[in-house]
């Protein structure tokens, strides 16, 4: 099997080497091999087989690739060439003949399950060992024609992404604008220009068909500022249970109103009855969401603004609908309800999620820059209260303002979707918790498994409410899956408040080097938030910050010298051991990827009294040594040995390479009576270091930890053709992998329970 595959690869390479120079000499094989197909060459998709025995099957495989290309928003070549390499035959088909197949989404690999498909006659057969046919085949491969496809909900996001990549400054109107309402910008989908050769104009008058995707169709600017992550319908339906309970407790004689200031296209309102909708006020900031909202709820609910005016469209936003503006806070439609003592207020919202330090934002590469909303009235008012980092989060501005401006009576309610941090860490509100759910963030148009809380808060001050329970539901195969009750506990202290080593030592000298996160010396840096120090008692630097686990690798570092952007402390020989549980805890979500953990479990120093007491009475020595063993084998321990630009030797002391004598870790671990599992890990390490010494890059003057072996000695090459990685030292590589697997099990079994016990994880 392997031999055959190799043969096919070689023949395919030979084919390209022969014909690419005749088709377009600027193209390399790499340019042609895309999307896991055998090649897209101008307006041709090419599928090779060493020998084609079933044309139907191979054609279907090509059609599946084309189907995937449409979904990704990539042009569909007009020609399909199926090439039998040994018999030198190429069959030509036209993709237009199979548009219905291409416009069907397929699940699973393209090369699987292709049998039983009936095809039309091929357009032409080239027997390319004959010169006439060979020439015609070259001509065909030069052709640059595409089959136009129809836009639907399966592919619109792909084409939008493609469009914004081509036109980074384009706005959503430029892409999906329509000819309805007061602002009639006809977008690309209705009058294709950039994609004129690739797509048919979208002929529906409105964008209602894309209502569940409106967040994903936002342009780059809006993605930064609107924090739109839509709620799955099943979650919307479930959370309505809380709304109904809130309605049920509306006092006798009171009317009620449900307000959703950030309704998007109305997902939360989807399952409301007409009567509930009559009691509902919705609005949203983004213009095309507003239009859909009008279309789906216009005749059922109250909408702000009630109708579109000439000036409603305001650079892609809706004038008068910014929930964080002063104008909105005082909006007469809302004020009318608030000023009525016989009206109960129920806010029901999934506020925009734009924590500027969150992973989504870091991924967009915009960091803290996307701060339009930070200048808003509500955020400015909130900042006056000096709430610290809580004001970095757009969602928090909605939550804070809900209680500040809208809820007035004890039976008023707020049902809100948001990660638990605002209550758990920020202590943004202290209201009575009635009931709540844990939902998986993955079903809010992200691909992150994490916990989002949907909580029903009563407008009453809470007394000693340090722990709440929420009922967890994932969505599996289109149904809610019950995960039982999960506790959420409030956090009082951060690590930095109780555990960071803030001592200075009279022998500390200024100077020395700083490190990048990968453990190497950082020579040039714009951000230098730490003053390098030197002292023989310093063995490294630990940065563990942020209570949550967004971006966990960024927020936990162990380095031989200070991290360039600080956020940590120097590890010193006399007490480094008792600092290691912080590092161990900071790896929690890496080894426990369950959606129920991330976003719910966080780092805390709340157990500091018990921890310090047990340190003093020596009760947890074994646990500390276990944390040390874990640390030496944990690849996020980026301590490396090298000669610094200051001429000093920086030696990784938290590793077990004793080539040059004992390290601090190897000495300390002599006190650990190893269990069977620990002996196994140590034995595996011995093989690894032995194998490492025989690698080409090994430098006998260095002391190697696992990470340094991984990144400097366990070398590999990538096969250009197959994309496969071939390791130069498979035995070493295999042992490193086995160690990682065993370390994970060891961590979960031996370390995690004690981290919870002392509330390093809470
Ligand atoms: C997380 S989405 C929720 C949408 C919808 N309710 C749902 O659950 O699917 C947040 C929505 O808030 C809107 N939004 C963002 N900033 C806003 C603001 N300042 N005022 C009003 N709406 C805003 C976004 O356009 C987005 O539709």
């Amino acid at each position: 099997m392997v031999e055959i595959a190799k043969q096919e690869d070689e023949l395919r390479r030979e084919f390209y080497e022969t014909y690419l120079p005749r088709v377009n000499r600027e193209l390399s094989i790499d340019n042609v091999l895309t999307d896991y197909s055998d090649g897209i060459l101008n307006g041709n998709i090419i599928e090779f087989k060493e020998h084609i025995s079933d044309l139907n099957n191979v054609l279907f495989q090509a059609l599946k690739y084309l189907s995937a290309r449409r979904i990704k928003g990539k042009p569909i070549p007009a020609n399909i060439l199926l090439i039998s390499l040994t018999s030198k035959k190429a069959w030509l088909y036209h993709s237009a003949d199979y548009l219905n197949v291409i416009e069907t989404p397929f699940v699973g690999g393209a090369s699987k399950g292709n049998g039983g498909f009936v095809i039309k006659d091929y357009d032409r057969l080239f027997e390319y060992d004959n010169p006439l046919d060979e020439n015609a085949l070259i001509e065909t491969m030069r052709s640059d024609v595409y089959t136009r496809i129809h836009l639907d909900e399966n592919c619109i996001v792909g084409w939008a992404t493609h469009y914004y990549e081509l036109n980074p400054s384009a706005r959503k109107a430029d892409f999906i604008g329509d000819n309805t309402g007061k602002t009639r910008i006809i977008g690309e989908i209705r009058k294709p220009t950039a994609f004129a050769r690739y797509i048919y104009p979208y002929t529906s008058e409105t964008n209602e068909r894309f209502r569940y995707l409106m967040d994903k169709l936002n342009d780059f600017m809006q993605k930064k500022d609107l924090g739109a992550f839509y709620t799955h319908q099943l979650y919307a339906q479930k959370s309505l249970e809380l709304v109904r309970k809130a309605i049920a407790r509306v006092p006798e004689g009171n009317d009620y109103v449900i307000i959703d200031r950030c309704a998007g296209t109305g997902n939360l309102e989807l399952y409301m009855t007409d009567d509930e909708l009559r009691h509902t006020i919705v609005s949203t900031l983004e213009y095309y969401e507003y239009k859909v909202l009008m279309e789906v709820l216009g005749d059922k609910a109250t909408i702000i603004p009630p109708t579109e005016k000439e000036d409603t469209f305001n650079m892609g936003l809706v004038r008068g609908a910014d929930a964080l503006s002063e104008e909105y806070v005082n909006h007469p439609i809302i004020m009318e309800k608030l000023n009525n003592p016989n009206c109960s207020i129920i806010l029901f919202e999934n506020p925009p999620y734009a924590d500027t330090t969150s992973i989504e934002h870091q991924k967009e590469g915009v960091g803290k820059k996307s701060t339009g909303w930070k200048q808003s009235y509500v955020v400015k008012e909130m900042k006056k209260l000096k709430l610290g980092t809580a004001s970095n989060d757009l969602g928090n501005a909605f939550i804070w303002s809900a209680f500040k401006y809208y809820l007035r009576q004890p039976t008023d309610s707020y049902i809100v979707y948001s990660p638990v941090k605002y209550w758990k860490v920020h202590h943004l509100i202290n209201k009575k918790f009635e009931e709540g759910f844990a939902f998986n963030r993955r079903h809010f148009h992200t691909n992150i498994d994490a916990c989002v809380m949907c909580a029903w808060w009563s407008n009453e001050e809470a007394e000693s409410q340090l722990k709440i329970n929420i009922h967890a539901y994932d969505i599996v195969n289109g149904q809610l899956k019950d995960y039982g009750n999960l506790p959420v506990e409030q956090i009082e202290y951060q690590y930095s408040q109780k555990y960071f080593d803030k001592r200075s030592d009279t022998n500390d000298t200024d100077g020395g080097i700083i490190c990048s996160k990968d453990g190497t010396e950082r020579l040039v840096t714009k951000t230098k938030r730490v003053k390098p120090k030197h002292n023989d008692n310093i063995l490294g630097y630990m940065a563990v910050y942020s209570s949550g686990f967004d971006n966990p690798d960024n927020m936990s570092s162990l380095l031989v010298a200070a991290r360039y952007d600080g956020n940590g402390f120097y590890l010193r020989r006399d007490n480094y051991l008792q600092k290691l549980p912080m590092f161990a805890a900071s790896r929690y979500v890496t080894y426990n990827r369950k959606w129920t953990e991330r976003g719910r479990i966080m780092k805390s120093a709340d157990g500091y009294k018990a921890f310090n007491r047990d340190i003093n009475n020596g009760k947890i020595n074994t646990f500390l040594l276990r944390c040390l063993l874990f640390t030496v084998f944990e690849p996020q321990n980026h301590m490396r040995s090298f000669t610094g630009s200051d001429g000093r030797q920086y030696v990784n002391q938290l590793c077990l390479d004793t080539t040059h004598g004992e390290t601090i870790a190897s000495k300390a671990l002599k006190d650990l009576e190893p269990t069977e599992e620990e002996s196994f890990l140590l034995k595996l390490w011995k093989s690894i270091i032995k194998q490492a010494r025989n690698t080409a890059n090994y430098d006998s003057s260095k002391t190697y930890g696992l990470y340094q072996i991984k990144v400097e000695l366990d070398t590999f090459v990538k096969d250009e053709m197959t994309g496969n990685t071939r390791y130069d030292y498979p035995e070493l590589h295999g042992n490193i992998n086995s160690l990682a697997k065993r370390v994970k099990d060891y961590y979960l079994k031996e370390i995690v329970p004690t981290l919870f016990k002392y509330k390093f994880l809470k």
Side-chain angles (χ1 to χ4, degrees), residues 274-289:
D274 281 357
D275 184 53
E276 286 160 346
L277 286 173
R278 256 196 303 281
H279 285 83
T280 300
I281 302 175
V282 289
S283 57
T284 194
L285 184 53
E286 200 272 313
Y287 177 75
Y288 288 96
E289 287 182 337

Side-chain angles (χ1 to χ4, degrees), residues 144-164:
D144 196 25
V145 179
Y146 297 85
T147 293
R148 289 196 289 169
I149 55 91
H150 299 95
L151 292 174
D152 62 19
E153 55 279 30
N154 296 309
C155 69
I156 187 86
V157 176
W159 287 95
T161 311
H162 186 175
Y163 182 73
Y164 297 132

Side-chain angles (χ1 to χ4, degrees), residues 548-604:
F549 285 100
D550 254 351
N551 228 343
D553 289 352
N554 186 36
M555 290 167 180
S556 64
S557 287
L558 257 185
L559 307 166
V560 282
R563 187 169 133 162
Y564 70 100
D565 58 354
N567 282 309
F569 60 92
Y570 286 101
L571 271 183
R572 297 184 193 257
R573 287 169 192 253
D574 62 339
N575 68 357
Y576 76 96
L577 208 49
Q578 44 185 276
K579 306 296 171 198
L580 297 181
M582 283 189 276
F583 176 71
S586 74
R587 308 308 300 144
Y588 181 59
V589 294
T590 310
Y591 293 107
N592 192 333
R593 296 198 168 272
K594 278 193 255 162
W595 71 271
T596 51
E597 305 307 287
R598 194 180 201 149
R600 182 179 68 94
I601 299 299
M602 299 197 181
K603 296 167 244 169
S604 98

Side-chain angles (χ1 to χ4, degrees), residues 226 228-231 261-264 267 284-285 289 321-323 350-352:
L226 289 175
F229 298 97
Y230 286 0
T231 309
R261 295 170 290 170
C262 46
N267 291 333
T284 194
L285 184 53
E289 287 182 337
D322 179 358
N350 175 4

